[in-house]
Amino acid sequence: MRAWSAVTPGPVEEMGLQLVEKPVPVPGDDELLVQVRACGVCRTDLHVSEGDLPVHRAGVTPGHEVVGVVAGSGAGVAGFATGDRVGVAWLRRTDGTCGYCSRGAENLCPSSRYTGWDADGGYAEYTTVPAAFAHRLPEAVDDVALAPLLCAGIIGYRALRRAALPPGGRLGLYGFGGSAHLCAQLALAEGATVHVLTRGAAARDLALGLGAASAQDAHAMPPEPLDSAILFAPVGDLVPVALRALDRGGTLSIAGIHLSDTPPLHYETDLFYEKQIRSVTSNTREDSREFLALAARHGVHATTHTYPLTRADEALRDLKAGRFDGAAVLVNDL
């Protein structure tokens, strides 16, 4: 099969990703073989391709927002049939027995493995997934619309819950790409007032169109103090900016897997009055089930821009440059 590979991670403007020939993967005993139909483009794919996240598998194929159909399965799989539509997300496997898994925090499992980082992902004709970590998808929603929900949506949901937003609270979103624009819709549906702070004019227009109360540059102060904020942009310089925008007792949730270095924090202006910072690490399968149900209930939808899978490198370059709002989705033309 043809697949994209992070052969020599580096700037995507040069050669961070290469289209290569790989064998069709053979599913393990507990795995499904999935024929990829669509795969969302996540900023984590950019970090893996450029080496910000050191690859765990040499020449790994990125992609972890996969919508596809079951094309085969291992001997130990039950409950799935050839042709079933499934989703493949970031969290690929946990040990299921450690203290974190036992208390419902499988996202913190020290033995956790990830699609498109530890194992080849969806920038390819086929991928595999442990059956226990495959997501059953609603039939009424098409492949392209579903793909960004499988990471951008789920991580945005976990970041929103980690932000401890009170009912009817004031939420600031720093950065407004694939994850943030889905998170905003859910927060608005649940009664929040949303303020968006981001560098791109198109993203600010999208935010206002979705119902945000304001949309300004990322370094601006929102028009009112915030109860909670979520930092989606991987820019450490924005941490003190967001903290200063919080009201007393507010919480900043940092959603990304990668963040540039933060500048020193000034205790009195940035952290005093019981402000707090929380990080977000992956998600649990329960997060996924909860978010997909809420997205269906509230009509949360992705603003999408499609690219043929043969142009995945171009999609990553456009993501890095901020050339589109919402989310990019690769449609399999290999």
Side-chain angles (χ1 to χ4, degrees), residues 19 26 47 51 70 85-87 92-93 108 124 127 145 162 172 199 204 221 226 229 253 269 271 285 291 329:
L19 190 56
V26 176
H47 294 318
V70 175
R85 189 167 69 149
V86 295
R92 176 182 176 82
R93 189 183 291 277
L108 301 179
T127 189
R162 293 281 292 161
R199 65 178 181 176
R204 292 195 292 268
M221 287 296 289
L226 305 172
S253 172
T269 57
L271 286 171
R285 284 171 286 177
F291 171 72
V329 178

Side-chain angles (χ1 to χ4, degrees), residues 37 67 85 137-147 149 295-296 300-302:
R37 300 208 305 209
V67 177
R85 189 167 69 149
L137 302 175
E139 290 300 327
V141 186
D142 67 48
D143 298 341
V144 169
L146 275 170
L149 303 187
V300 174
H301 62 280

Side-chain angles (χ1 to χ4, degrees), residues 279-304:
S279 65
V280 175
T281 299
S282 185
N283 62 274
T284 67
R285 284 171 286 177
E286 184 61 24
D287 292 331
S288 304
R289 289 187 285 267
E290 289 175 1
F291 171 72
L292 291 172
L294 287 169
R297 182 186 311 164
H298 294 302
V300 174
H301 62 280
T303 296
T304 56

Side-chain angles (χ1 to χ4, degrees), residues 35-55:
Q35 183 177 20
V36 176
R37 300 208 305 209
C39 184
V41 177
C42 179
R43 188 165 291 275
T44 301
D45 303 333
L46 179 62
H47 294 318
V48 170
S49 299
E50 296 203 312
D52 296 324
L53 294 176
V55 294

Side-chain angles (χ1 to χ4, degrees), residues 126-329:
Y126 292 90
T127 189
T128 60
V129 62
F133 288 80
H135 298 281
R136 298 185 185 275
L137 302 175
E139 290 300 327
V141 186
D142 67 48
D143 298 341
V144 169
L146 275 170
L149 303 187
L150 291 169
C151 178
I154 295 166
I155 290 297
Y157 171 71
R158 186 167 185 87
L160 180 60
R161 294 297 180 249
R162 293 281 292 161
L165 182 68
R170 302 157 296 175
L171 175 67
L173 301 179
Y174 288 80
F176 203 71
S179 192
H181 91 291
L182 296 169
C183 176
Q185 293 174 60
L186 182 56
L188 288 163
E190 293 181 338
T193 298
V194 175
H195 299 286
V196 170
L197 302 107
T198 192
R199 65 178 181 176
R204 292 195 292 268
D205 289 343
L206 175 60
L208 293 172
L210 290 173
S214 72
Q216 303 173 82
D217 181 77
H219 287 86
M221 287 296 289
E224 59 180 337
L226 305 172
D227 297 300
S228 303
I230 304 174
L231 178 58
F232 287 101
V235 182
D237 286 347
L238 290 175
V239 170
V241 174
L243 286 169
R244 289 168 198 156
L246 291 176
D247 205 349
R248 299 179 181 209
T251 298
L252 170 62
S253 172
I254 300 176
I257 190 173
H258 170 77
L259 186 71
S260 62
D261 289 343
T262 60
L265 299 178
H266 187 267
Y267 180 68
E268 185 174 351
T269 57
D270 299 343
L271 286 171
F272 198 50
Y273 296 118
E274 299 191 354
K275 297 178 184 180
Q276 57 184 318
I277 303 174
R278 291 180 170 180
S279 65
V280 175
T281 299
S282 185
N283 62 274
T284 67
R285 284 171 286 177
E286 184 61 24
D287 292 331
S288 304
R289 289 187 285 267
E290 289 175 1
F291 171 72
L292 291 172
L294 287 169
R297 182 186 311 164
H298 294 302
V300 174
H301 62 280
T303 296
T304 56
H305 305 270
T306 58
Y307 293 74
L309 188 50
T310 50
R311 289 165 49 199
D313 54 344
E314 179 184 342
L316 285 178
R317 289 194 296 270
D318 288 349
L319 171 64
K320 183 178 180 180
R323 294 192 184 104
F324 55 77
D325 56 6
V329 178

Side-chain angles (χ1 to χ4, degrees), residues 6-68:
V7 176
T8 307
V12 290
E13 297 87 352
E14 299 170 15
M15 196 184 289
L17 212 59
Q18 297 178 42
L19 190 56
V20 301
E21 294 285 333
K22 287 189 174 185
V24 173
V26 176
D29 284 349
D30 65 344
E31 294 181 345
L32 303 173
L33 175 66
V34 178
Q35 183 177 20
V36 176
R37 300 208 305 209
C39 184
V41 177
C42 179
R43 188 165 291 275
T44 301
D45 303 333
L46 179 62
H47 294 318
V48 170
S49 299
E50 296 203 312
D52 296 324
L53 294 176
V55 294
H56 288 178
R57 176 186 176 94
V60 72
T61 294
H64 55 273
E65 298 179 341
V66 181
V67 177

